[in-house]
Amino acid sequence: MPEVRAGELLLRVVYLSLDPYVGSILRGRHMGEAPPEPGNVIPGRGLGQVLVSKAPGYSAGDYVLAETGWRDHAVVKADCVRRVGTGIAPLSAYLGAAGMPGLTAYAGLHHLAKIRGGENVLISSAAGAVGGTAGQIAKILGASRVIGLAGSDKKCSLTVQNYGFDDCINYRTPDWQDKLRAAFPQGIDVYFDNVGGELLMAALTNLAHYGRIVLCGLASQYHAEERPAGPNPGLYIAKRAQLFGLVVYDFEKEQDAYSEMAGEWIRQRQLVVMEDRVDGLENAPHHFEKLMRGENLGKAIVVVGPEAQ
Amino acid sequence: MPEVRAGELLLRVVYLSLDPYVGSILRGRHMGEAPPEPGNVIPGRGLGQVLVSKAPGYSAGDYVLAETGWRDHAVVKADCVRRVGTGIAPLSAYLGAAGMPGLTAYAGLHHLAKIRGGENVLISSAAGAVGGTAGQIAKILGASRVIGLAGSDKKCSLTVQNYGFDDCINYRTPDWQDKLRAAFPQGIDVYFDNVGGELLMAALTNLAHYGRIVLCGLASQYHAEERPAGPNPGLYIAKRAQLFGLVVYDFEKEQDAYSEMAGEWIRQRQLVVMEDRVDGLENAPHHFEKLMRGENLGKAIVVVGPEAQ
């Protein structure tokens, strides 16, 4: 066990969150950060329980979110953690629909796209942690029609049957672009983009005039060596499109308020949480690769230890 | 002379406006419109004087803006014209800084980018009808620093000496990207893009976080056979950029109010009008080619007839 100094906490990691941005970090493509050297801890957010506190305000037994990395125990600075209240939502939901992925979805739809009641919404990576939450939040915020894009029939079923999407199109079927056009006879008012590439182009083609696009993720580029080009700006002009680049860190001060609101939605079953869990830190690499291949159904989580000890 | 029917006006064209969008129409690239057949009139906006009115509210002698096409006389429907008041601004300014190009600049800066006092602004095609007006309006609306991008030293001199830009960078010099970086130590808050291509990419690279980009024109594509790709959406995300596709037709109902405001700016010498004139309709093709090669200094106009007759 490492030494715990003043202002620090020793955590026992309960859940480790697996997120695509970690893949970007490992490739040196995240916010200008250098990738970790081989042998160093792989970065990642975890939900942990305090074993030893040398910081005011925290006691042994408290649950916190922290940058734990891929570890079963971590010493972290107390001013870099966020306390999670038990009972507001299931603990693991703080890594997904009630946590940062959920805030990402909410910030994009509410603060950037300023979604209004009655609008027609398209969500890509619809079965993913951000996309699945975004579709449900769009409904909560009054969207009249929410359509998903996902990479398998199984994922599409999840979004419609569990998340309440109105429909979901498997973009790996040959006629998916025809289905997309048919799904939006009035055009797309808001497109929440977690993918880029061909899906962004198809959404733009079917965008209503003055439609808004939240640029959130780039799943189509996870395995690309080069960053491919994007749509010609003339296509945005023709649609009078509005685009918003989203980085969730900008909304961090809203995280607690969001978590409380999302916890309420979860309790009222307006917001359904689905998780793709694996047990044991030793299975994290395999589970992470599964996430990066897009084979997860719901929020990817590693169960590192029991909730209560 | 064609016959004038009820609800129509016979105009004597005084000034013909030459605008890049006409090049797009001729190439079949404008708003989904089919290009005119050979032998048909080339489209274009003109300022004309009414010779014969068969419409209530208009009398011989009135000046109006209309879709006259490249002609010395035109019969137009009265409900498709816009009256211009003499004395508010020089008549020809209604085709430029006080007209549609001016409204384009104003709508992009004020309505879309919502420019605030103290911001740092970059304008491409800075010596053009839209760009030259946009730089001046940015100053009027309180921008602390307005930098132009133009394709020659002569154009750059015009923007600084006549329009009051703080500086202008000739993007045909080898070190222009270094100069651009040096001109915006805090990053670009608002970029008004009339060009696309390499200039858009350079502006994006130097954009401040949360910077806004008005996508207005595509001068870099006037002569391209194919529509080139644009920036990777990941670049917009990293900057938390906001993009706004601008089509001035959407703001048409504000044209009269804008023209009045712009007329006041012109009288107070806050807004300087520069024109690149040629005499005689027979010189319109040559003058238009000059515009499309980017060799105009100021608003390109063909003087078809005298103002007063």
Side-chain angles (χ1 to χ4, degrees), chain A residues 108-245:
Chain A
L109 291 169
H110 177 68
H111 289 296
L112 298 184
K114 296 185 171 64
I115 191 173
R116 298 180 288 263
E119 291 195 308
N120 297 308
V121 179
L122 178 68
I123 315 267
S124 58
S125 288
V130 173
T133 310
Q136 298 182 74
I137 291 180
K139 281 281 184 184
I140 292 169
L141 298 179
S144 67
R145 198 166 160 71
V146 175
I147 309 288
L149 285 173
S152 73
D153 289 345
K154 204 169 157 190
K155 289 181 180 178
C156 277
S157 296
L158 171 77
T159 68
V160 174
Q161 286 165 22
N162 298 66
Y163 295 155
F165 282 53
D166 294 294
D167 202 353
C168 181
I169 298 164
N170 177 351
Y171 64 83
R172 291 206 170 101
T173 53
D175 58 343
W176 72 274
Q177 300 225 21
D178 297 331
K179 288 177 190 158
L180 182 63
R181 193 176 316 116
F184 289 98
Q186 315 294 322
I188 298 162
D189 296 311
V190 174
Y191 172 48
F192 195 107
D193 183 31
N194 295 304
V195 175
E198 200 187 2
L199 273 61
L200 172 58
M201 188 64 96
L204 184 52
T205 304
N206 290 287
L207 202 70
H209 279 188
Y210 318 105
R212 290 96 75 206
I213 298 177
V214 177
L215 297 172
C216 176
L218 295 165
S220 64
Q221 297 175 28
Y222 288 166
H223 305 285
E225 288 305 314
E226 301 270 314
R227 285 198 152 186
N232 181 292
L235 301 174
Y236 298 127
I237 296 177
K239 296 290 187 177
R240 295 84 150 144
Q242 304 200 349
L243 278 82
F244 303 91

Side-chain angles (χ1 to χ4, degrees), chain B residues 124-139:
Chain B
S124 58
S125 289
V130 173
T133 310
Q136 298 182 73
I137 291 179
K139 281 281 184 185

Side-chain angles (χ1 to χ4, degrees), chain B residues 151-172:
Chain B
S152 73
D153 289 344
K154 203 169 157 190
K155 288 181 182 179
C156 276
S157 297
L158 171 77
T159 68
V160 174
Q161 287 166 22
N162 298 66
Y163 294 155
F165 281 54
D166 294 293
D167 202 353
C168 181
I169 298 164
N170 177 351
Y171 64 82
R172 292 206 170 101

Side-chain angles (χ1 to χ4, degrees), chain B residues 18-20 125-130 150-152 154-155 158 163 222 274-277 287-301:
Chain B
L18 298 182
D19 298 276
S125 289
V130 173
S152 73
K154 203 169 157 190
K155 288 181 182 179
L158 171 77
Y163 294 155
Y222 288 167
M274 299 289 290
E275 292 174 351
D276 188 28
R277 290 183 170 214
H287 207 51
F288 185 69
E289 286 302 321
K290 184 182 168 196
L291 168 72
M292 295 306 279
R293 283 194 308 269
E295 294 167 7
N296 59 305
L297 280 176
K299 170 66 195 165
I301 283 175

Side-chain angles (χ1 to χ4, degrees), chain B residues 104-116:
Chain B
T104 305
Y106 180 74
L109 291 169
H110 176 68
H111 289 297
L112 298 183
K114 296 185 171 62
I115 190 172
R116 299 179 289 261

